[in-house]
Amino acid sequence: MKHLLSAADLDAATATLVLDTAAEMAGIAGREVKKLPTLRGRTVVNLFYEDSTRTRISFEAAAKRLSADVINFSAKGSSVSKGESLKDTALTLQAMGADAVVIRHPASGAPHRLATWVEGSVLNAGDGTHEHPTQALLDAYTMRSRLGRLAGLKVAVVGDVLHSRVARSNVALLATLGAKVTLVGPPTLIPVDLQTQVSYDLDAVLPDADVVMMLRVQRERMNDSYFPSEREYARRYGLDGPRMRKLPEHAIVMHPGPMNRGMEIAPEVADSARSTIVEQVANGVSVRMAVLYLLLGGKP
Ligand code: NCD
């Protein structure tokens, strides 16, 4: 595999290899010296056309822990604001000898275009409402490490599925790995094209879920009104304390971040022992190390 553009491109064996490699990488994070020489002399460019906290820092930490040289590019403050196209930016990176380009872009499909213009590997760090494959991998890693398996797990993905690349990538990857996904939210925020189970009733789904993945309501992608009010949304689809207590004992609560506390998730839930939110961030570094290693360095 040269690029990681879509979770749908991963078969079960490849996805499992990434998760197993990530588990080995996690051992490094516990060491005093958190560094491997694997990617010494290689250059990884982080190309971010959209705001990001976790994903950008996580890819940077991952590349650095593998000893790669890291160049961070954010569209704000670059020649993009002078009208430079993605293609010309790509050719500039190419001229600088990028071995891998990590791209986040508001346009769905931008990483696929980029892959035709550069010689190095392209890693999709989120493209529009389309995909976010490393997020799905770190989510799967988190489920597997908390619950011991993925096959047969019942996963409820709740909220603004329509605008969520996290949901799209999770639906694809979890299907490949044998988990059962139910999408939950108001009908206006559940797309019709995803081949998986759907429910509009969160309370009905909770008692039988192993995992609840809460999604952020993505106001910046809404140019219409999808629900009556924030209060109404929180009342029907927000995960608060009483709702959380309907979950089975072993169930976990996930959120990719950033959270709207009090909207889709109550602080009491986000900060509870069931919450894996901080763990997901830590696991993200191990998973991205694994992906970089397998794409760039792991070949014999
Ligand atoms: C998500 C994203 O940007 O797609 N965040 C993330 O990468 N952890 C989800 C979101 O923005 O709500």
Side-chain angles (χ1 to χ4, degrees):
M1 206 169 71
K2 182 168 179 195
H3 308 295
L4 180 59
L5 301 176
S6 159
D9 297 340
L10 297 167
D11 60 23
T14 310
T16 304
L17 175 64
V18 174
L19 302 185
D20 292 344
T21 308
E24 304 215 359
M25 295 299 179
I28 316 250
R31 292 191 201 161
E32 199 177 341
V33 179
K34 300 177 181 41
K35 227 164 162 90
L36 287 180
T38 321
L39 297 186
R40 192 154 51 201
R42 319 293 295 277
T43 299
V44 176
V45 176
N46 283 325
L47 190 57
F48 277 67
Y49 285 84
E50 241 188 40
D51 296 344
S52 173
T53 302
R54 274 155 288 271
T55 307
R56 193 176 54 76
I57 293 174
S58 180
F59 266 111
E60 181 173 355
K64 286 182 170 165
R65 284 184 192 174
L66 294 171
S67 305
D69 294 319
V70 180
I71 298 172
N72 288 314
F73 170 101
S74 71
K76 280 182 198 137
S78 76
S79 287
V80 170
S81 56
K82 300 179 186 167
E84 187 161 48
S85 71
L86 176 60
K87 180 165 185 179
D88 287 326
T89 305
L91 296 178
T92 302
L93 301 177
Q94 182 60 40
M96 290 177 184
D99 295 294
V101 181
V102 177
I103 179 173
R104 167 166 288 195
H105 200 282
S108 299
H112 297 70
R113 297 285 289 164
L114 184 67
T116 66
W117 295 323
V118 296
E119 277 162 35
S121 294
V122 175
L123 288 81
N124 182 357
D127 61 329
T129 57
H130 180 230
E131 280 244 24
H132 192 352
T134 57
Q135 179 72 43
L137 285 163
L138 79 88
D139 289 337
Y141 181 93
T142 304
M143 290 177 219
R144 195 179 76 165
S145 69
R146 273 281 189 122
L147 301 170
R149 72 197 159 99
L150 287 162
L153 281 188
K154 294 191 190 110
V155 182
V157 176
V158 184
D160 183 2
V161 179
L162 183 66
H163 300 103
S164 178
R165 52 198 179 204
V166 173
R168 248 162 240 281
S169 287
N170 263 291
V171 166
L173 185 69
L174 289 170
T176 301
L177 295 171
K180 296 191 192 93
V181 177
T182 303
L183 304 175
V184 187
T188 47
L189 290 176
I190 304 286
V192 288
D193 61 320
L194 289 176
Q195 301 292 318
T196 193
Q197 220 170 309
V198 167
S199 168
Y200 306 122
D201 184 354
L202 179 57
D203 292 302
V205 170
L206 293 176
D208 200 31
D210 300 302
V211 177
V212 199
M213 186 183 294
M214 302 308 296
L215 300 172
R216 183 174 65 90
V217 175
Q218 302 198 17
R219 290 196 199 77
E220 79 276 22
R221 295 191 210 279
M222 294 184 185
N223 40 27
D224 215 334
S225 142
Y226 288 85
F227 45 84
S229 69
E230 291 192 3
R231 265 187 67 176
E232 173 72 4
Y233 181 91
R235 200 175 60 75
R236 298 206 48 185
Y237 295 105
L239 191 61
D240 57 11
R243 277 213 169 100
M244 177 175 72
R245 288 185 272 281
K246 292 185 180 170
L247 286 165
E249 198 73 41
H250 68 272
I252 57 172
V253 175
M254 308 180 73
H255 193 303
M259 290 183 268
N260 297 310
R261 280 175 185 257
M263 175 94 174
E264 72 269 0
I265 190 164
E268 177 194 352
V269 178
D271 302 327
S272 74
R274 286 180 188 277
S275 161
T276 61
I277 296 167
V278 177
E279 231 168 283
Q280 284 169 266
V281 176
N283 292 340
V285 178
S286 307
V287 163
R288 288 170 179 127
M289 286 174 78
V291 170
L292 285 168
Y293 171 79
L294 293 169
L295 292 180
L296 294 182
K299 294 153 215 138

